[in-house]
């Protein structure tokens, strides 16, 4: 998403002194300065990577081919890379030792089904292909960070774990990120995802969501002959009416909607089945759980009320099935969190104004929910029609993306002889 | 529908004396006795008609070809037949004069779309084809009545109007019958429809129905970004919950159901549209109107409540559209009504027990609603899978259908020199 034309830099308290000190030391270091320049010099190289990655299909739940390609690219740049059980590509660039571990990630998957033509087409300075921005740009940006660290033999203190994640989009339900934090056994102290292009935006929090497909099934019957039989549609109507009047807190923002509904077969039949998709979201993890705990019993009660209305026992009447179809954990972070501070410090040093400081739902959700400092940064350039086959990318000041990802990472993990890590080691 | 295996004759008060007297006179008349025998003799001829009629397509709203065919068949039997503006075939067999006018009808339309193969297939004594029973049997039965009256030159006192009606099924919404009674200008004193096969059933009343497709349309939006926008699905849920708790009278039986629902586009969008099909029925005309008057305002209020919940003005929020999709007028009749008495008297004379005396929704609805004595009788034989391409017919004692239709009609219109009309002339 581009910035609005009248975007103004946000006014925020200054970056914490120890973070600013680390930024200043790195910005004054000749090697780091040269590395930052090299990212700009390699702008075309990053774009070539981006186009090549785009043309390797990565449909939802089938990122294998792109994953193997990404392993090869990381290994060509000198890292040992592997694919974990969930399908994530993971490659560690070791620090000097005893430092924190930062993940620098971008997601492998696109929203496009297998068979969608991924061939990139150029029109002037615009490159068009499904997924070219989201998130081939992020993958190319973190490769460029690695290329530069390797070229300048920058010895970090902490480790940087380069990750190509699976299942960030839609029904992928953050499965790659969830595996990384919940099952991989890898110790992680901080997390940066490069997703989208906007370098003027720092994502400071994670919108959590829980989604259910709610089914009601009943005996059904002819509207006249079987009148007196509980109706699946009547039952769900009872639930929706109550949900419609729920009040939620505005801070942290907490929302709900009954998004889709379908049921019944003919106008003159008592509906035997209806299903509805429910979306619940919150910027607060606790508030999301509370909302869920308020809404789910409403469905159970609605079935009971509908059955009682007609004198039916629950076992003979309308029955409820709750099918979870999505859970993106969420939460907020303090502005003082190291990853957010490092990102803002790096932006200032690179002359990139901060226009937006916001919540969204990305791979960083899982980290934020677990209290691990995390953000999502833009990969640089301009984009349009994301999640649409007309998706396009323009490499306008594109190098700012990998520059920002690199400098933020270095502030966090520290550079030997230059700066101490800002990222805290977790217990 | 076949009778249940354990069906028992209903116990009802005896037929009124003057009706029984007319039945007895006809049953004792040699010509009438011979005519009744001739119907049995012509059993095969009736079946040949039925098969031929079945094989002339008559999809909903396009009964023209079968209508022309039916005109030809009536004219071959010596009547002048015409097709009215709605598409009904009408042919009058004049009585001696100054008697009542009885309509003897069957419906031309089937439920099957154009292009459905109407070819009749025989398996043993079973004949299979879409519409072979419903209502090709009825059409063949009334043709057989005409054939017999002509053969025996039976001079009735009142007129019999032979009618092939259009639009009896589904969305046809009784348009043929409505035209006949409301717009044709034809004076009618009584009405018999031959529909279905069951000769052991007399339909004594008309289930009325009113149907609406209910639409709610609102602004829609993203479930997170646009939270606070009224939802079409939430609005309709509010309405359904109230409808679900409505109480209706059981005598006359009065029913309702929200039969189908669909709306919304994705789980994470506030629904901009939802639509639902509502069915309301009653054996009482007044009760149906009352139910409608209770339910319709609930929808209007639901839109207002949903808009008010989010502080929206009604012009900016969710809006209601009520689309009427069906109106079948209904009502009950006293057991003493001439057409019902005549049918019961004729059944007894023909040795056909009465197993069922019920309400349903057929072409007779319009008449019953207007206070014109009416019933629906079976065409004889056995049937299965009506309204399904697997529909079948078995000519078991099939002649009983046209025998019953003929004798009931003669009781009502009277036969010169034998019996006076039982059917009252309306003002």
């Amino acid at each position: 998403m581009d910035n609005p034309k009248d975007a103004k830099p946000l006014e925020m308290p200054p970056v914490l002194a120890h973070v600013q000190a680390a930024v200043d030391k790195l910005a004054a270091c000749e090697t780091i300065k040269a590395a930052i320049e090299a990212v700009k010099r390699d702008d075309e190289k990053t774009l070539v990577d981006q186009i090549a990655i785009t043309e390797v299909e990565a449909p939802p739940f089938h990122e294998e081919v792109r994953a193997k390609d990404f392993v090869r690219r990381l290994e060509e740049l000198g890292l040992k890379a592997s694919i974990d059980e969930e399908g994530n590509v993971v490659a560690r660039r070791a620090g000097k030792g005893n430092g924190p571990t930062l993940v620098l990630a971008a997601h492998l998957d696109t929203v496009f089904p297998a068979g969608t033509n991924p061939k990139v087409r150029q029109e002037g300075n615009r490159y068009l292909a499904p997924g070219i921005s989201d998130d081939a740009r992020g993958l190319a940006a973190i490769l460029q960070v690695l290329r530069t660290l390797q070229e300048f033999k920058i010895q970090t203190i902490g480790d940087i774990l380069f990750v190509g994640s699976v299942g960030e989009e839609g029904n992928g339900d953050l499965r790659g990120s969830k595996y990384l934090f919940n099952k991989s056994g890898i110790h992680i102290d901080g997390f940066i995802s490069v997703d989208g292009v906007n370098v003027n935006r720092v994502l400071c929090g994670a919108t959590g969501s829980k989604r259910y497909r709610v089914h009601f099934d009943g005996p059904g019957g002819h509207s006249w002959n079987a009148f007196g039989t509980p109706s699946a549609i009547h039952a769900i109507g009872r639930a929706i009416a109550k949900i419609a009047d729920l009040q939620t807190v505005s801070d942290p923002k907490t929302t709900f909607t009954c998004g889709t509904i379908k049921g019944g077969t003919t106008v003159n039949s008592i509906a035997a089945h209806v299903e509805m998709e429910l979306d619940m979201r919150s910027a607060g993890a606790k508030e999301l759980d509370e909302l869920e705990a308020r809404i789910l019993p409403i469905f159970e009660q609605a079935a009971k009320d509908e059955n009682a209305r007609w004198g039916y026992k629950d076992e003979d009447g309308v029955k409820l099935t709750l099918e979870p179809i999505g859970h993106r954990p969420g939460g907020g972070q303090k502005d003082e969190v190291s990853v957010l501070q490092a990102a803002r410090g790096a932006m200032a040093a690179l002359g990139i104004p901060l226009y937006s400081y916001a919540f969204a739902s990305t791979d960083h959700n899982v980290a934020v929910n677990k209290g691990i400092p995390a953000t999502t940064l833009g990969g640089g350039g301009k984009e349009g029609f994301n999640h649409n086959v007309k998706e396009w990318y323009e490499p306008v000041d594109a190098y700012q993306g990998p520059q920002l990802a690199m400098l933020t990472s270095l502030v966090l993990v520290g550079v030997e002889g230059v700066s101490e890590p800002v990222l805290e080691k977790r217990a």
Side-chain angles (χ1 to χ4, degrees), chain A residues 91-128:
Chain A
R92 182 181 298 267
R93 188 172 187 273
K96 183 190 162 199
N98 213 25
T101 296
L102 173 75
V103 169
L104 185 59
H107 66 85
L108 294 166
D109 59 310
T110 71
V111 298
F112 303 99
T116 306
N117 180 7
K119 190 74 190 164
V120 178
R121 198 159 49 80
Q122 188 177 355
E123 290 180 2
N125 194 36
R126 183 169 285 194
Y127 297 82
L128 300 98

Side-chain angles (χ1 to χ4, degrees), chain A residues 181-234:
Chain A
F181 286 98
N182 297 329
K183 295 190 181 162
S184 73
I186 299 172
H187 175 92
I188 300 169
D189 297 300
F191 181 87
I192 295 172
S193 172
V194 183
D195 196 357
V197 297
N198 190 341
V199 293
N200 303 105
R201 187 183 73 167
V202 169
L203 292 184
C204 60
T207 312
S209 65
K210 292 197 177 189
R211 293 171 177 175
Y212 286 88
R213 192 169 292 123
V214 181
H215 305 254
F216 285 88
D217 290 277
H222 191 274
S223 65
W224 173 258
N225 300 324
F227 183 66
T229 306
S231 154
I233 290 178
H234 291 198

